[in-house]
Amino acid sequence: MKNFRDYIKNDILIMDGAMGTMLQKSGMLKPGSAPEILNIEQPELLVNIHRQYIEAGANIVETNTFGANRVKLKEFGLGQKTREINQAAARNAKAAAKDQAFVSGDIGPTGKFIKPIGDLDFDESVEIYKEQAGALLEAGVDLFSIETMMDIKEIKAAMIAIRELCDLPIMAMMTFNDDYRTTLGTPPEVAAIVLEALGADVIGANCSLGPEGIYNVIKRMSRVTNLPLISEANAGMPILKHGVTVFPASPGQMTEHMEQSLALGVRVYGGCCGTTPEHIKHIAETGFKLQHSISYEEKKDNTLKLASRTEFRELVPSKDTLLIGERINPTGKKIYSEELRSGKTKYIREQAMLQEKAGAHVLDVNVGTPGIDEPVMMAKAIFAVNGASTRPVSIDSSNIYAIESGLKAVDGKPLVNSVTGEAKRLVPTLKLIKKYGASAIILPVDEKGLPKTAAERVAIAKRVLETAEHMGIKRNNFVVDALTLTISAEPHGGTETLKTIRSVSEELGLPCVMGLSNVSFGLPARNILNSNFLSMAMSQGAGLAIVNVLDEDIKKAFLSASLLLGRDENAGQFLTAFSGQEHAPAPIKADAKDIFTKLQNAVIKGDEESITGMVEEALSQGHDPLVISNKGLVPGMDVVGQLFKTGKLFLPQVMLSAETMKKAFARIKKEMKKQQKGVKKILMATVEGDIHDIGKNIVITLLENNGFDVIDLGKNVSTEEIVKQARQNNVDLIGLSALMTTTMTEMDNVVKAVHKNGLSIPIAIGGAVVTPDYAKEIGAVLYAKDAMSAVEQIKNFLGVH
C-alpha cells in the first residue's frame, strides 16, 4: 500500500464494516463480556473477520479496540490489560492485512463527559487516550480512526493525545442524532471546523444514522471544509424481528448516495452497525465503477472560521465584519475585579448572555487582574461563558499558561488574543494554537515596541505568518490587529489604522481586527467617535471589531454600515432591528424582587453560585419548601425544557440548569423530610451487557430535580437484579437504558420477567438505538427520545405536576 495521505487525494479507500455484528454472528461474544478481550482469547477469530472484509474489497481494516481505553475496560475488570489488548488487536489486524490493506487503530469514547459537563478532567482524558494510542502505535498501526464521538471536547482530547505521540494520519468521526446534532448539540459544520483545526486528515460521521442521514451530515460538512471526508453509515436503523435486532438496509441501499458523496469529497467509504462483508463487497464494487469520477483539486480557502460547541461563525476578508463583545474584561470594572478575586463568575455569565442578546458574534474573555491565579480563573471563566452563551470565545491574555488553560477549557474553535512578533513569545504561543486547534490575532509588535506606520505593522505580521506557516498552521487562521491608537495623543493614529486595514488586506489577504474604544480615550462624546470610526473601518474592509455591543450607537453604526456596504442580504438584520419585527427574546425572566421569579431565573441561567442563597432567602420569608420547589424551581426547569425542545438550549446548558436545581433541592430537602410521603419512586438501570450510562445518568439527575426518589442500579444490570430490586423497593416505574443494538433485546427480557413475576410495574425505555416501535412491540408503556422528554412523559404518566 502506498502512502495513505497520497492515496486519498485521487483514490477511493474502502473501510471495513461492523466488527460487533460479526462477533455477534460468530456466537463467541459472551453476554456481559468485553468484545475486546477476544483479541487475546480468540485471535484467529479476529484475523478471520478482518480477512473476510479485505476479501470483500476493504483496503482499511480497523483494530477491534473501539472500547479498549482503560475507562471502558475497567468496567469489565480489564483495565490493567489495556496495553496487552490493544497490541494484540493490532497484531491480529496486521496478520490479516499483510500488504493488502491499511490497519487503523480504532479509538472510541470513554463513556464519560469532560468537565464541566461531567467529572473527567481534560488532561486525564488526554492521558487515557495517549495510553491506548501508544500501545497501538507500538504494535505498528498505519493510521488512527477516532469514531462515534458525541463530545467535541473528548475528540479534541483524543486527537491531542495522538499528535503528542506521532504524525500518523487521523480519521476523525462524530456521531449525530436525527436532528443532525450530536447528543451535546454539535452540528456537522462545527465538527468539521474543529476537527480540521486540530489536524485531522479525514473527517466525517459514523453510526446512529442510515445511509441517507450520514449523506446529509457529510453534505453539511463539505460546505465548510476541503478535507477528504469519510462516510460510515449503519445498515439502516435497527428493528426487532422475532426477538432479534436486525439492520434492514441491503447492500444496494448502502450505496444509493455514494456517487453524490464522492462528488462532495468523500474519499473513504465504509459501514458501521449492521454492515457485513456482503455490504462492503457491494460498496467496493460500486466504488471501483465510480473511480473515474474522482478528481482532486485543492481549493484555496481564506475564510476565518470560529466555533463554539453549538454554532459557528465565518468571516471572508473584505466581505464580512464580526463584532467581538469586550465587556468581560476587568479593566476599569471594580465589581468584576472583586468577583475575580473571590473566584465567582456571576458577572461573566450575565455579560455573556447580555452581549449575545445584543448581537455580539464572539465574546472576549479577559481575567487579568492582580492577586489571582490567572490560569485557574481563565478556565473557570471559559466554563462560565460556554455554559451561558452559544457564541465562540476569544481568549484574551498575555499569560501563556492562562492561554493554554483557556484552550483546554473551551468547547469549540476559539480566537486567541494574541500572538506577537516578540521572539520569546512567538513560537511558544504558535505551538499552543496548533496543538489546540485555535485561530489567533496577530498583534504586530516586537522587541522594538509599538510600530507607528502601517508598513511596519504589515512587516511584523508577515514575519509571524511565515513562522506559523512553517509550523503547519494555515494562514486563514489569523487576523491582524490594526492597532487603534488614541487620537487625542496621536492625531493621525486613526488614518494610520485605516491604512493598516487596507494594507493587510492587499498584501497579506487577511482581515484586520481593532479595539474600537481606544480611538476615543480621553475625549468627550466617545460613543459618537467610536460609532463613526467603526463605519469608516468597515468601509476599508475591517473584519472584526472589539466593541461594547450594549452601546446603541455602536449597534446602529454596525447595522447601517453593513446594509450600505452590501453585507446585509435583503436588509434582514437592519429590518429586524428597526422595524419592530425583532424575534422574541428567549423567555429568561427579568430580574424581579419576587423570590420565586429570582429562583426561576437562577435555574434558567444555571446560576449555581446564587441559588442556595436564594433558597435560604425564600425559607427565611416563611415559604414552605414544597411551595419553593413548585413555584420557583420546577417552573424554571420547565422553561429550560421548552428552550431545549425548540433548539434554543442544548444539553450542556440543560445540565448546568439541572446542577443548579440540584443544589437548591439539596437545601430544601433538609426541610422536607417530614413531607416525603407519597413521593414517586423510580428504579433506573442500563440493561445487562451494556456499560453505557451517560444518558441514564442525565435522566436520573433531572428526575431527582423534579422531586422523584430514584434508585440507580447502574449499568450492566441483570434482569434478575432489576426484578428483585423493583419488588423490594416497591417502585412506581422502571426505567431501562440501552445504547447498543446487541443489548437492546435485554429490555424485552426485563419486560417479560416483570410480568412473569406478577409485578404490575410500568416500564419506560430509551437509548440511542431504541425506537417507539420497539417499545410498543415489547410492551413498554413509555419511550423517550431524550432526557427532557423522558422526565416530561414520566411526570405525566404518574400524575406528578
Side-chain angles (χ1 to χ4, degrees):
M1 300 295 291
K2 59 184 178 182
N3 181 281
F4 176 86
R5 291 187 174 109
D6 290 337
Y7 202 117
I8 57 174
K9 288 182 179 179
N10 299 298
D11 295 295
I12 304 169
L13 280 165
I14 305 300
M15 195 86 150
D16 58 10
M19 176 59 73
T21 299
M22 296 297 286
L23 290 176
Q24 193 176 15
K25 280 186 175 182
S26 74
M28 302 303 295
L29 190 59
K30 300 172 186 175
S33 68
E36 291 77 16
I37 194 62
L38 294 174
N39 293 310
I40 297 172
E41 294 179 349
Q42 298 282 344
E44 66 286 347
L45 171 65
L46 274 302
V47 172
N48 181 49
I49 292 172
H50 290 312
R51 279 182 181 153
Q52 287 184 58
Y53 279 121
I54 292 169
E55 288 167 4
N59 41 25
I60 305 176
V61 290
E62 290 183 297
T63 56
N64 178 35
T65 52
F66 176 74
N69 60 71
R70 68 170 180 254
V71 176
K72 280 283 185 72
L73 290 176
K74 189 178 179 182
E75 299 288 343
F76 299 97
L78 298 171
Q80 76 283 2
K81 290 182 176 289
T82 300
R83 185 171 181 273
E84 182 184 357
I85 287 171
N86 279 279
Q87 295 205 326
R91 286 195 300 271
N92 295 335
K94 284 170 68 67
K98 297 181 181 178
D99 61 349
Q100 295 177 287
F102 293 109
V103 173
S104 183
D106 189 27
I107 291 176
T110 62
K112 291 182 175 289
F113 285 138
I114 294 175
K115 292 178 181 176
I117 299 171
D119 57 4
L120 186 62
D121 185 77
F122 184 82
D123 287 335
E124 184 183 357
S125 181
V126 171
E127 289 306 310
I128 289 165
Y129 285 121
K130 203 169 179 179
E131 177 185 26
Q132 183 183 7
L136 290 166
L137 182 65
E138 285 177 26
V141 298
D142 301 307
L143 68 153
F144 289 93
S145 47
I146 308 170
E147 61 178 355
T148 324
M149 291 287 189
M150 63 179 73
D151 182 356
I152 197 73
K153 196 175 284 185
E154 186 172 33
I155 199 169
K156 177 167 87 172
M159 291 189 65
I160 287 171
I162 294 170
R163 282 288 170 256
E164 286 185 356
L165 294 170
C166 67
D167 188 42
L168 287 184
I170 298 174
M171 298 189 295
M173 291 162 275
M174 298 198 76
T175 188
F176 298 85
N177 301 325
D178 56 10
D179 62 352
Y180 300 121
R181 287 184 180 267
T182 68
T183 299
L184 294 184
T186 300
E189 295 87 350
V190 167
I193 288 166
V194 173
L195 297 177
E196 179 173 358
L198 287 165
D201 294 272
V202 181
I203 61 175
N206 78 300
C207 207
S208 295
L209 298 170
E212 183 176 4
I214 293 293
Y215 168 73
N216 289 332
V217 169
I218 294 296
K219 189 175 182 180
R220 288 176 58 173
M221 284 186 168
S222 70
R223 200 182 74 74
V224 296
T225 183
N226 292 324
L227 284 182
L229 299 167
I230 177 170
S231 170
E232 277 201 302
N234 288 346
M237 300 310 293
I239 58 176
L240 196 69
K241 280 189 176 180
H242 310 299
V244 178
T245 304
V246 176
F247 285 86
S250 67
Q253 288 173 314
M254 292 297 294
T255 58
E256 286 178 351
H257 298 279
M258 192 171 189
E259 187 169 6
Q260 301 100 305
S261 297
L262 297 179
L264 292 174
V266 169
R267 295 295 175 267
V268 183
Y269 211 101
C272 203
C273 299
T275 55
T276 64
E278 289 73 27
H279 292 90
I280 298 305
K281 184 173 188 287
H282 186 77
I283 289 171
E285 289 171 349
T286 306
F288 181 77
K289 292 175 185 175
L290 296 171
Q291 186 74 30
H292 67 278
S293 66
I294 297 296
S295 63
Y296 179 77
E297 181 184 350
E298 190 162 358
K299 300 172 187 174
K300 187 177 180 182
D301 183 8
N302 64 347
T303 305
L304 173 73
K305 304 179 186 81
L306 303 173
S308 65
R309 182 187 291 275
T310 57
E311 72 169 37
F312 66 101
R313 295 285 167 173
E314 295 180 285
L315 189 153
V316 178
S318 301
K319 289 186 178 180
D320 302 309
T321 301
L322 302 180
L323 299 181
I324 302 177
E326 68 178 10
R327 293 184 59 80
I328 306 176
N329 188 313
T331 304
K333 299 181 181 70
K334 185 178 179 181
I335 293 175
Y336 178 32
S337 296
E338 290 174 353
E339 189 176 272
L340 288 172
R341 293 189 187 97
S342 65
K344 300 294 179 66
T345 61
K346 183 178 179 181
Y347 174 89
I348 295 171
R349 284 182 285 101
E350 287 178 346
Q351 289 301 319
M353 287 186 282
L354 284 171
Q355 290 183 103
E356 176 175 339
K357 187 177 178 181
H361 305 109
V362 181
L363 299 178
D364 191 73
V365 181
N366 186 308
V367 297
T369 198
I372 68 163
D373 185 329
E374 190 175 347
V376 170
M377 200 60 215
M378 178 61 83
K380 202 170 183 179
I382 295 293
F383 286 160
V385 172
N386 284 167
S389 170
T390 62
R391 296 294 186 260
V393 301
S394 169
I395 300 169
D396 186 356
S397 179
S398 58
N399 181 327
I400 197 163
Y401 301 106
I403 291 172
E404 182 165 24
S405 180
L407 288 169
K408 290 177 183 179
V410 75
D411 287 338
K413 183 187 178 190
L415 186 66
V416 170
N417 184 7
S418 54
V419 54
T420 72
E422 299 165 286
K424 65 179 181 180
R425 290 189 58 198
L426 177 57
V427 172
T429 308
L430 288 175
K431 282 183 176 179
L432 292 182
I433 289 163
K434 182 177 181 180
K435 178 178 180 178
Y436 293 99
S439 290
I441 295 173
I442 297 174
L443 184 65
V445 299
D446 56 17
E447 290 78 5
K448 296 177 183 178
L450 193 72
K452 290 190 176 182
T453 68
E456 292 173 301
R457 296 169 191 176
V458 170
I460 294 171
K462 192 177 291 184
R463 291 202 304 271
V464 173
L465 277 175
E466 288 171 353
T467 304
E469 289 182 308
H470 180 73
M471 293 171 65
I473 308 172
K474 293 180 180 178
R475 175 179 288 252
N476 64 339
N477 283 307
F478 293 95
V479 297
V480 179
D481 193 326
L483 294 181
T484 309
L485 303 180
T486 304
I487 58 172
S488 59
E490 295 281 348
H492 300 291
T495 55
E496 204 63 36
T497 297
L498 297 175
K499 186 177 178 181
T500 301
I501 293 170
R502 292 194 301 272
S503 298
V504 167
S505 177
E506 292 167 1
E507 297 182 43
L508 304 181
L510 294 180
C512 273
V513 61
M514 57 180 192
L516 189 66
S517 60
N518 294 342
V519 75
S520 63
F521 186 78
L523 294 171
R526 295 187 64 188
N527 58 333
I528 297 175
L529 283 170
N530 291 343
S531 57
N532 277 281
F533 193 61
L534 174 62
S535 298
M536 294 171 70
M538 288 175 66
S539 72
Q540 299 303 305
L544 301 99
I546 303 172
V547 301
N548 177 8
V549 291
L550 303 186
D551 186 327
E552 282 299 315
D553 288 328
I554 293 292
K555 183 177 179 180
K556 290 173 182 176
F558 171 74
L559 291 169
S560 300
S562 295
L563 178 60
L564 294 168
L565 292 168
R567 300 177 186 175
D568 184 5
E569 190 174 351
N570 299 319
Q573 294 179 70
F574 191 87
L575 290 173
T576 297
F578 298 116
S579 67
Q581 298 175 8
E582 58 267 16
H583 298 294
I588 294 178
K589 299 177 181 296
D591 290 334
K593 293 181 180 179
D594 175 63
I595 188 59
F596 298 122
T597 302
K598 287 182 179 179
L599 286 164
Q600 291 171 29
N601 214 20
V603 170
I604 295 165
K605 291 180 179 179
D607 188 357
E608 292 182 272
E609 294 172 357
S610 305
I611 193 71
T612 304
M614 292 179 185
V615 172
E616 294 288 359
E617 182 183 345
L619 291 169
S620 70
Q621 292 177 8
H623 294 295
D624 182 87
L626 200 58
V627 173
I628 295 172
S629 173
N630 292 340
K631 292 184 69 175
L633 304 175
V634 174
M637 204 64 198
D638 286 343
V639 172
V640 171
Q642 288 301 314
L643 293 173
F644 177 77
K645 191 180 292 185
T646 56
K648 293 178 181 176
L649 287 182
F650 300 99
L651 193 55
Q653 289 80 29
V654 172
M655 292 303 294
L656 183 60
S657 292
E659 286 301 315
T660 301
M661 199 166 172
K662 192 173 183 179
K663 284 191 174 182
F665 266 113
R667 175 63 189 91
I668 65 174
K669 276 182 179 179
K670 296 176 183 178
E671 311 295 327
M672 292 175 65
K673 288 180 179 178
K674 296 178 181 179
Q675 304 176 22
Q676 289 299 304
K677 293 180 181 179
V679 172
K680 299 293 184 181
K681 195 180 292 185
I682 297 175
L683 183 144
M684 294 288 293
T686 301
V687 296
E688 187 170 12
D690 203 316
I691 61 168
H692 303 89
D693 65 352
I694 289 177
K696 172 182 67 67
N697 292 343
I698 294 169
V699 174
I700 289 170
T701 299
L702 297 178
L703 286 171
E704 288 178 336
N705 290 345
N706 278 272
F708 290 96
D709 181 7
V710 181
I711 300 163
D712 180 17
L713 298 186
K715 49 198 171 187
N716 192 19
V717 185
S718 69
T719 296
E720 293 76 15
E721 183 65 15
I722 293 170
V723 173
K724 175 185 170 184
Q725 293 296 331
R727 187 194 299 275
Q728 286 183 359
N729 290 282
N730 193 27
V731 299
D732 296 287
L733 182 137
I734 297 171
L736 302 176
S737 174
L739 189 71
M740 301 162 61
T741 55
T742 54
T743 59
M744 63 186 282
T745 52
E746 284 297 317
M747 293 176 162
D748 188 26
N749 294 335
V750 174
V751 174
K752 289 173 180 174
V754 167
H755 294 156
K756 184 178 178 181
N757 282 270
L759 302 177
S760 57
I761 303 171
I763 296 176
I765 66 172
V769 295
V770 181
T771 64
D773 289 341
Y774 181 62
K776 186 177 180 181
E777 183 172 340
I778 68 173
V781 298
L782 295 177
Y783 158 79
K785 181 182 177 182
D786 53 56
M788 293 300 293
S789 67
V791 175
E792 183 179 352
Q793 288 189 64
I794 290 171
K795 285 173 67 177
N796 291 336
F797 183 81
L798 296 178
V800 176
H801 302 289

